[in-house]
């Protein structure tokens, strides 16, 4: 509306000097009320504007910000019929007490003294909460730290977080489109080798340990040492950010999470990535189901048992807590919580998935599995379909639900033409990590890899115009496995049998694209079970069995889509054009790819279509795109060998109740 509205609609005031009838643009003039009796004889005054109700500059500033209004629904006692409304003050006190309990040192006997608000705003009256009554201070365990206040910035708005970031965090800037550019520090990707899980009596039997598992063990005591280190660090600060939010749009399986962090960047990132509570939901939040202590600026102590670097991301499922030391990469929080969901949801018979998800106008749902950089976000963000989510989902008895409230898109080489919806989502409120921009115009150069290849944008899902809110949908019709094949031998698309779908799901192949995992600079072949071995908690066959059961029950079709190389391996060939991949995906969604003719490839035994609308037919069989046929055959055999080696660890496992399925899956791999 702003672009095409007539200028007259936007006139802010009348300048007496202007002849009548001319278009007028001008800012509202500020007039001090006092002394106005003696009508000023100077040129610019405006009688039509109502006078400002301030007599001093301070008063004027105090008028600028309205006090937060109370939630519209009164809070009543849940049961028993007793009506006991909480005053705003009582409610705030309860919130502070809950946060103080979260932040309590476990070696001293009380939580920190907390006060709401920004420490630089001295005028605010401290409302103290430290688990004790004001006049009953504990005599034991007192240290200097218990004499100071820690200010709590609880669920700040994006605007407030922008101000905090820009004022206090070096490297925070507003870009020309309004996004908040930030630096994540020395780490610009996750640190999977520093992810530890407490092995106790329960998790010893329940979780996947040992070769191939992402769960590096640590003991309960070491966890407590790191927890104390993180909590002491956070309490030593003048202020901490606290986010109380939700995971999972399936309201029956919603998880309450609390994130305590030291940076506005982290708070805004999680504000965008988790589900944002309404003011009423925040009122009723109570105790969280899971808490993250993000002390990422502070290292772990390498003299501490199990520590192999100054970074440690520690998960304790019994305590429902995670501690982050020595990395400020915000993706650790997002993916840390994903790991928690990979534990909690299967216990309830719900399958957790590292997948994107969207839905057509007819209600047909597609899942997009794939490792980092294979296209989950890019391909699930589709202008012709409703976005349910780009990265983390649950598949339960009622259908699918997104775990998150936001998207986390790769930005390297982002273009407005190829990915318009993601481009347009990078606006006020969006966190832009590690991008490079022009110092004056603040135009971002998405091609610049000076800081990292893994540049990212985190935005609330409603920044995508056709997001489906609430982010839930019916049972999937298509299950699309994405692989970015750097060898250039997998076909652009293949239709899979159920055993083949399971084989490729368990294999989880891709060429890891540089950057997302710390230290990776060149693409290389990698296998990651369930397209997300870094996040799963149970043995991969548990998830595979659940997927097989659900696909069978709901009649979903599996597809393997190569979003990687064609015409040669990495270095010789080139990446398949995104426009072609989109046409392939369109043909899967529309169902037209089910009704076309197929031929079978050698070695991998994949069914490949002979034609697809909008895609050159010669690229559908990769052998056609290679000039050097011998090199093709060599690359094909090499990849087949890698698949075979990788799958050996799984051949001893039974998948589901059915031995027949297990045998079929094992024989659904390459044959040579
Ligand atoms: N043919 C193609 N298909 C899909 N993506 C492509 C293709 N060619 C290039 N790309 C690029 O590859 C990247 C895919 O990244 P995307 O953000 O979708 O990964 P992702 O699977 O969501 O990973 P993550 O789990 O790390 O978020 C994008 O930068 C996209 O522009
Ligand atoms: O976690 C991250 O940093 C990015 C991501 O989505 C993934 O690696 O799958
Ligand atoms: Ca993504
Ligand atoms: Mn991901």
């Amino acid at each position: 509306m702003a672009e095409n509205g007539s200028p007259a609609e936007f006139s802010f005031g009348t300048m007496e000097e202007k002849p009548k009838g001319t278009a007028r643009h001008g800012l509202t003039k500020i007039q001090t009320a006092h002394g106005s009796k003696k009508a000023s004889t100077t040129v610019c005054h405006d009688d039509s504007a109502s006078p400002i109700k301030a007599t001093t500059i301070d008063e004027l500033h105090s008028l600028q910000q309205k006090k937060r209004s109370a939630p519209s629904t009164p809070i009543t006692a849940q049961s028993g019929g007793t009506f006991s409304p909480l005053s705003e003050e009582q409610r705030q006190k309860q919130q502070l007490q809950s946060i103080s309990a979260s932040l309590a040192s476990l070696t001293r006997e009380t939580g920190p003294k907390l006060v709401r608000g920004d420490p630089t705003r001295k005028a605010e009256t401290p409302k103290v909460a430290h688990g004790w009554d004001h006049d009953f201070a504990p005599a034991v365990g007192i240290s200097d730290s218990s004499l100071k206040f820690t200010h709590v910035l609880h669920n700040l708005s994006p605007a407030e977080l922008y101000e905090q970031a820009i004022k206090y965090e070096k490297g925070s800037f507003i870009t020309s489109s309004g996004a908040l550019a930030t630096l994540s520090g020395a780490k610009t990707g996750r640190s999977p080798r520093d992810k530890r899980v407490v092995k106790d009596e329960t998790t010893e039997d329940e979780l996947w340990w040992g070769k191939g598992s992402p769960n590096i063990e640590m003991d309960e005591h070491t966890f407590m040492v790191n927890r104390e280190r993180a909590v002491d660090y956070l309490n030593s600060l003048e202020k901490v950010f606290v986010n109380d939010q939700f995971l999972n749009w399936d309201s029956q399986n919603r998880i309450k999470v609390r994130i305590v962090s030291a940076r506005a960047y982290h708070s805004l990132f999680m504000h965008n990535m988790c589900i944002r509570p309404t003011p009423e939901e925040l009122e009723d939040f109570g105790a969280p189901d899971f808490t993250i202590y993000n002390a990422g600026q502070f290292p772990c102590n390498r003299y501490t048992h199990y520590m192999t670097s100054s970074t440690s991301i520690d998960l304790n499922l019994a305590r429902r807590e995670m501690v982050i030391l020595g990395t400020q990469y915000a993706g650790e929080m997002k993916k840390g919580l994903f790991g928690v969901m990979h534990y909690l949801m299967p216990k309830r018979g719900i399958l957790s998935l590292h997948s994107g998800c969207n839905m057509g106008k007819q209600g047909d749902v597609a899942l997009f599995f794939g490792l980092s950089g294979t296209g989950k976000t890019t391909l699930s963000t589709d202008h012709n379909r409703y976005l349910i989510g780009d990265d983390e989902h649950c598949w339960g008895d009622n259908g699918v639900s997104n775990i998150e409230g936001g998207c986390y898109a790769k930005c390297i080489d982002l273009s407005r033409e190829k990915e318009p919806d993601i481009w347009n989502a990078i606006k006020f409120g969006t966190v832009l990590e590690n991008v490079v921009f022009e110092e004056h115009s603040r135009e971002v150069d998405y091609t610049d890899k000076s800081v990292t290849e893994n540049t990212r944008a985190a935005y609330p899902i409603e920044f995508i115009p056709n997001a489906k809110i609430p982010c839930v949908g019916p049972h999937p019709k298509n299950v699309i496995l994405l692989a970015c094949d750097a060898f250039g031998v997998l076909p652009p698309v293949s239709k899979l049998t159920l055993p083949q779908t399971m084989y490729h799901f368990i294999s989880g192949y891709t060429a890891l694209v540089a950057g997302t995992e710390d230290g990776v600079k060149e693409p290389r072949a990698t296998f990651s079970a369930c397209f997300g071995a870094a996040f799963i908690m149970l043995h991969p066959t548990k998830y595979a069995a659940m997927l097989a059961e659900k696909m069978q029950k709901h009649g979903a079709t599996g597809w393997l889509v190569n979003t990687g190389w064609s015409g040669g391996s990495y270095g010789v060939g080139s990446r398949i054009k995104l426009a072609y991949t989109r046409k392939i995906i369109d043909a899967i969604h529309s169902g037209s790819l089910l009704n076309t003719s197929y031929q079978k490839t050698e070695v991998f035994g994949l069914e490949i279509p002979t034609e697809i609308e909008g895609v050159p037919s010669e690229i559908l069989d990769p052998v056609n795109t290679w000039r050097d046929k011998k090199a093709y055959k060599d690359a094909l055999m090499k990849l087949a060998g890698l698949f075979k080696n990788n799958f050996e660890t799984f051949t001893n496992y039974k998948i589901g109740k059915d031995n027949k399925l297990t045998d079929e899956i094992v024989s659904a791999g390459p044959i040579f």
Side-chain angles (χ1 to χ4, degrees):
M1 195 182 98
E3 289 91 30
N4 45 26
S6 79
E9 288 177 58
F10 290 94
S11 148
F12 288 105
T14 314
M15 301 283 270
E16 284 189 343
E17 296 76 15
K18 285 255 167 85
K20 280 201 178 92
T22 33
R24 293 167 299 244
H25 285 281
L27 296 173
T28 339
K29 276 178 269 93
I30 292 168
Q31 191 188 53
T32 46
H34 72 294
S36 64
K37 263 188 190 143
K38 282 189 200 154
S40 151
T41 50
T42 46
V43 263
C44 289
H45 73 273
D46 181 351
D47 293 323
S48 65
S50 51
I52 275 197
K53 297 185 190 81
T55 54
T56 64
I57 295 281
D58 282 351
E59 225 180 288
L60 176 62
H61 284 193
S62 77
L63 288 177
Q64 192 180 25
Q65 294 179 23
K66 265 215 284 216
K67 284 275 161 274
R68 197 193 312 220
S69 53
S72 50
T73 43
I75 297 153
T76 51
Q78 288 294 342
S79 55
T82 40
F83 182 78
S84 65
L86 283 178
S87 72
E88 178 65 10
E89 196 169 332
Q90 279 172 316
R91 191 184 61 76
Q92 291 199 359
K93 196 175 158 194
Q94 275 188 4
Q95 258 174 7
L96 277 183
Q97 270 167 353
S98 162
I99 294 167
S100 182
S102 291
L103 272 166
S105 152
L106 295 171
T107 58
R108 292 180 289 277
E109 292 188 20
T110 171
K113 287 185 180 178
L114 300 181
V115 51
R116 291 182 79 88
D118 186 330
T120 60
R121 297 201 175 180
K122 292 272 155 33
E124 284 172 56
T125 38
K127 288 201 188 69
V128 190
H130 47 86
W132 298 86
D133 253 313
H134 285 214
D135 39 27
F136 180 58
V140 283
I142 279 196
S143 72
D144 281 1
S145 66
S146 61
L147 299 176
K148 71 176 272 292
F149 286 101
T150 304
H151 288 248
V152 175
L153 302 178
H154 187 226
N155 281 34
L156 293 196
S157 66
E160 292 170 305
L161 290 168
Y162 264 56
E163 288 161 4
Q164 289 287 329
I166 288 162
K167 258 196 222 166
Y168 304 110
E169 291 169 23
K170 227 178 148 198
S172 304
F173 296 91
I174 300 178
T175 69
S176 61
S177 75
L180 180 71
T182 63
L183 291 175
S184 69
K187 301 267 180 172
T188 56
R190 282 182 292 103
S191 308
R193 280 169 295 278
D194 294 308
K195 200 193 129 198
R196 297 181 176 78
V197 182
V198 173
K199 195 184 226 182
D200 56 25
E201 274 165 19
T202 314
T203 58
E204 176 163 18
D205 299 330
E206 281 181 343
L207 304 191
W208 179 28
W209 301 102
K211 191 169 172 274
S213 153
N215 306 316
I216 304 168
E217 75 168 271
M218 80 189 304
D219 60 21
E220 162 85 18
H221 179 75
T222 309
F223 177 85
M224 295 312 283
V225 170
N226 281 357
R227 182 195 191 278
E228 197 73 356
R229 194 170 170 93
V231 162
D232 279 349
Y233 167 74
L234 290 166
N235 288 332
S236 77
L237 302 172
E238 254 201 285
K239 65 184 178 211
V240 295
F241 297 89
V242 175
N243 289 37
D244 282 341
Q245 297 186 256
F246 301 116
L247 294 179
N248 201 353
W249 286 88
D250 165 8
S251 52
Q252 281 167 21
N253 294 290
R254 193 164 82 169
I255 304 294
K256 296 188 281 180
V257 287
R258 169 168 294 166
I259 301 105
V260 187
S261 63
R263 288 189 62 180
Y265 150 50
H266 289 151
S267 187
L268 184 58
F269 178 91
M270 293 310 265
H271 169 91
N272 290 352
M273 294 309 300
C274 297
I275 299 168
R276 293 157 287 284
T278 62
E280 287 77 17
E281 287 170 330
L282 194 56
E283 293 286 309
D284 291 337
F285 196 83
D289 300 315
F290 194 89
T291 304
I292 294 183
Y293 300 95
N294 185 347
Q297 291 97 309
F298 202 63
C300 62
N301 183 343
R302 295 207 44 187
Y303 289 125
T304 306
H305 191 32
Y306 294 104
M307 298 301 112
T308 52
S309 75
S310 46
T311 302
S312 201
I313 301 109
D314 307 331
L315 173 62
N316 187 330
L317 288 167
R319 290 189 58 86
R320 294 167 172 258
E321 287 176 346
M322 168 170 289
V323 167
I324 299 177
L325 289 164
T327 172
Q328 297 177 58
Y329 182 65
E332 297 289 4
M333 296 183 283
K334 161 190 161 63
K335 281 304 204 287
L337 291 174
F338 191 35
V340 174
M341 294 301 276
H342 268 310
Y343 174 74
L344 295 176
M345 293 300 116
K347 274 180 176 289
R348 304 181 186 188
I350 297 164
L351 177 58
S352 43
L353 313 160
H354 188 208
S355 76
C357 181
N358 67 17
M359 186 175 90
K361 307 230 157 73
Q362 263 69 53
D364 59 299
V365 165
L367 293 176
F368 300 79
F369 286 98
L371 288 173
S372 186
T374 55
K376 293 184 299 297
T377 301
T378 297
L379 299 171
S380 57
T381 309
D382 181 333
H383 211 72
N384 299 314
R385 295 171 64 83
Y386 300 110
L387 179 65
I388 293 178
D390 79 322
D391 198 59
E392 306 177 9
H393 291 85
C394 286
W395 187 352
D397 287 341
N398 299 321
V400 289
S401 62
N402 189 355
I403 290 174
E404 302 180 288
C407 304
Y408 193 33
K410 280 184 163 286
C411 297
I412 202 70
D413 297 325
L414 182 69
S415 83
R416 189 202 292 262
E417 294 67 37
K418 288 187 202 152
E419 302 187 62
D421 285 346
I422 294 175
W423 180 280
N424 291 327
I426 302 177
K427 56 183 182 183
F428 179 81
T430 296
V431 177
L432 251 185
E433 288 175 336
N434 301 321
V435 295
V436 174
F437 48 85
E438 205 273 318
E439 69 174 342
H440 172 63
S441 68
R442 303 288 160 83
E443 290 300 337
V444 177
D445 178 358
Y446 289 109
T447 64
D448 197 317
K449 303 175 184 172
S450 305
V451 179
T452 176
E453 161 109 35
N454 188 34
T455 54
R456 292 268 181 173
Y459 46 86
I461 191 161
E462 56 285 4
F463 282 16
I464 298 296
N466 48 2
K468 171 153 186 330
I469 312 282
C471 303
V472 296
H475 295 287
K477 186 173 143 202
N478 289 300
V479 170
I480 302 169
L481 310 182
L482 304 170
C484 176
D485 175 29
F487 288 87
V489 294
L490 289 184
V493 59
S494 331
K495 188 175 70 182
L496 303 175
T497 62
L498 186 68
Q500 278 178 325
T501 308
M502 290 309 120
Y503 179 87
H504 286 277
F505 179 71
I506 295 167
S507 297
Y509 165 72
T510 196
L512 195 64
V513 174
T516 303
E517 287 196 0
D518 206 49
V520 179
K521 297 274 189 287
E522 286 275 284
R524 66 177 154 82
T526 186
F527 293 91
S528 178
C530 309
F531 292 103
F535 325 118
I536 61 179
M537 305 294 300
L538 315 176
H539 194 272
T541 51
K542 299 236 166 76
Y543 303 96
M546 288 179 81
L547 182 63
E549 194 250 324
K550 288 185 192 298
M551 282 185 68
Q552 229 160 4
K553 186 164 168 191
H554 303 289
T557 308
W559 306 87
L560 180 64
V561 171
N562 174 13
T563 64
W565 271 252
S566 173
S569 295
Y570 176 78
V572 177
S574 53
R575 197 161 177 187
I576 294 166
K577 283 199 173 69
L578 178 55
Y580 293 157
T581 302
R582 287 205 197 276
K583 288 285 178 199
I584 289 168
I585 301 289
D586 287 347
I588 293 174
H589 291 319
S590 75
S592 69
L593 210 49
L594 281 175
N595 313 312
T596 189
S597 57
Y598 279 87
Q599 64 184 60
K600 206 174 190 142
T601 69
E602 49 170 1
V603 184
F604 277 91
L606 296 165
E607 297 277 347
I608 58 171
T610 48
E611 55 180 8
I612 299 174
E613 204 193 303
V615 183
S617 292
E618 61 274 17
I619 74 162
L620 295 175
D621 188 349
V623 69
N624 298 333
T625 64
W626 286 59
R627 271 208 277 159
D628 184 343
K629 307 294 177 201
K630 162 111 183 19
Y632 167 77
K633 187 75 195 220
D634 290 348
L636 181 67
M637 293 316 292
K638 178 156 189 223
L639 184 61
L642 292 173
F643 264 88
K644 205 167 203 159
N645 281 347
N646 173 69
F647 211 81
E648 251 146 41
T649 44
F650 300 109
T651 48
N652 302 326
Y653 284 93
K654 206 173 112 175
I655 295 151
K657 298 163 202 108
D658 199 345
N659 260 330
K660 188 168 153 277
L661 182 62
T662 310
D663 295 341
E664 281 173 353
I665 294 171
V666 175
S667 34
I671 293 167
F672 55 96

